[in-house]
Amino acid sequence: MRHAALALLLAATASTAFAQPRAPHRCAADARSHAARLLALHRGPDDRIAIDSAVRVLAPVRNPVGGTPPQLLDVLEVQGYIYRARYRMRFLYAPLRETPNECVLMGQEILELARV
């Protein structure tokens, strides 16, 4: 029992010791800049708007237009705040093979995180 626990501990530490930090998504800065504008559009201009520096990369979603093979859209999530209100914003980007460094925004959504 002791040997199994030690082997499990060694395997867990070895896998995390050599893990490379994930590079930020190529459109992370673009998503942050759109987040400030989307929040201002949603609630009106306000000097208390703040946008988190963290950008989460979520699982890709299918392009609803279809096609073969199906095109997947990258999903980036950004948190924003106005005073005490918190908002979740998601941005959908099309990954283009022709211009891989270009960020083509295909959609956006905003949701206030509050109990109603």
Side-chain angles (χ1 to χ4, degrees), residues 22 24 50 86 107:
R22 288 183 67 173
R86 189 171 118 202

Side-chain angles (χ1 to χ4, degrees), residues 17-78:
F18 298 108
Q20 297 291 325
R22 288 183 67 173
H25 192 277
R26 71 185 188 290
C27 298
D30 190 66
R32 288 190 69 236
S33 71
H34 276 93
R37 287 184 273 167
L38 178 61
L39 197 48
L41 176 70
H42 181 69
R43 296 295 300 173
D46 194 322
D47 59 350
R48 298 173 296 175
I49 290 177
I51 303 298
D52 250 357
S53 62
V55 177
R56 289 183 53 204
V57 179
L58 303 179
V61 296
R62 273 183 187 228
N63 187 343
V65 174
T68 307
Q71 182 186 25
L72 296 176
L73 302 174
D74 294 340
V75 180
L76 303 181
E77 183 177 277
V78 180

Side-chain angles (χ1 to χ4, degrees), residues 26-27 30 73 92-96 99 102-107:
R26 71 185 188 290
C27 298
D30 190 66
L73 302 174
L92 284 69
Y93 288 93
L96 301 177
T99 54
E102 189 173 348
C103 295
V104 178
L105 182 63
M106 299 292 290

